Structures are given as C-alpha cells and as structure tokens.
Amino acid sequence: MSRVTGLGAAASAQRAYDRPMAIFAVHYTYSDDTEARDEHRSAHREFLGALASEGVVLISGPYAEVDEAPDAALILLRGDSAAELVELMREDPFQQQGLVEQVAVREWTPVLGAWFEGPLADDLR
C-alpha cells in the first residue's frame, strides 16, 4: 500500500528552490474510547515512528490527563502545507479507527528557546 508522505521526491526537489519546510503543530482531541485507543496504540505509534524516521514528525506525545478536558495530544510536524499534513494524518490508525474527534493543524513559528541551541536546533531553523 502506498501513502503520501511529506518528503516525496518531487516535493524534496521543489523545496530545494523554495523556502525551508515549515513546522506545524497538530492538536488531536481523542474520543472517550480509551479501550480502543489502547488496542490501536501500537499501530498509531508505528505510523508516527515511520514519519519520524522520514523527518516529518519532530516530536509527539499526549498531554497529561486532566478532569476538565478530554484526552489530547500534540504532534510537531515538518511539512509544506497544513492541507498536505491534514491528508497525511488521515492515515493515522487512530484517525482511521475514529479515535480522534478533532484535529487542528496550525503553522508554528518558533522564535526563541532552549531548542535553538539544543538537539533540535537544525530542525527549528
């Protein structure tokens, strides 16, 4: 099965002449079905891990649980457009199983912080 990735050959060639790929913050709001999330978590993490290997996922993880809000997660991705990443993330097993109730994708422009001098410095510039 083929899938669209953020680092296709044509996109990579075009990007060499355009601006660097942007960083996007993806916010997932999960369904209340924790049992199904537990069942599909390994496939979800395998999907994100493959994107991390391709350089698309910079960092990912769930927010701490709080009583006042539904379970949710933050994923920082590198890509050419929000629309491209929305399509890509539809392939996430959590989305395919209906375990993500809301997805918000916004371009994010970091301007300062420890990451600029640390291990993610090259990814943030």
Side-chain angles (χ1 to χ4, degrees), residues 5 12-13 18 20 24 31 36 44 51 56 58 65 70 74 81 85 91 93 99 101 103-104 110 116 122-123 125:
T5 68
S12 293
D18 293 340
F24 292 84
S31 73
H44 163 71
L51 292 178
V56 176
L58 297 176
E65 291 183 31
L74 175 66
S81 72
L85 294 175
E91 296 179 29
L99 302 174
E101 291 186 348
V103 178
F116 278 96
D122 291 338
D123 290 321
R125 294 183 183 165

Side-chain angles (χ1 to χ4, degrees), residues 7-22:
L7 297 176
S12 293
Q14 182 61 37
R15 204 171 36 258
Y17 300 104
D18 293 340
R19 69 178 175 92
M21 289 174 60

Side-chain angles (χ1 to χ4, degrees), residues 1 3-4 26 28 44 47-48 51 75 77 82-100 103 105:
M1 171 183 1
R3 65 180 173 83
V4 176
V26 177
Y28 271 7
H44 163 71
F47 170 78
L48 293 176
L51 292 178
I75 309 164
L77 303 173
E84 168 193 291
L85 294 175
V86 166
E87 288 301 313
L88 176 64
M89 296 306 288
R90 284 187 178 138
E91 296 179 29
D92 182 343
F94 271 13
Q95 285 203 48
Q96 292 181 345
Q97 295 299 321
L99 302 174
V100 178
V103 178
V105 179

Side-chain angles (χ1 to χ4, degrees), residues 4-84:
V4 176
T5 68
L7 297 176
S12 293
Q14 182 61 37
R15 204 171 36 258
Y17 300 104
D18 293 340
R19 69 178 175 92
M21 289 174 60
I23 296 174
F24 292 84
V26 177
H27 174 86
Y28 271 7
T29 302
Y30 293 126
S31 73
D32 291 334
D33 194 346
T34 57
E35 186 175 311
R37 285 200 322 263
D38 290 343
E39 178 183 345
H40 297 284
R41 182 168 286 111
S42 63
H44 163 71
R45 288 186 175 170
E46 183 178 318
F47 170 78
L48 293 176
L51 292 178
S53 295
E54 295 174 11
V56 176
V57 170
L58 297 176
I59 197 160
S60 170
Y63 295 112
E65 291 183 31
V66 294
D67 292 336
E68 307 82 37
D71 291 345
L74 175 66
I75 309 164
L76 294 183
L77 303 173
R78 190 173 284 290
D80 291 320
S81 72
E84 168 193 291

Side-chain angles (χ1 to χ4, degrees), residues 102-121:
Q102 183 179 15
V103 178
V105 179
R106 300 220 19 208
E107 188 169 346
W108 181 57
T109 306
V111 294
L112 58 94
W115 282 359
F116 278 96
E117 303 305 323
L120 295 178

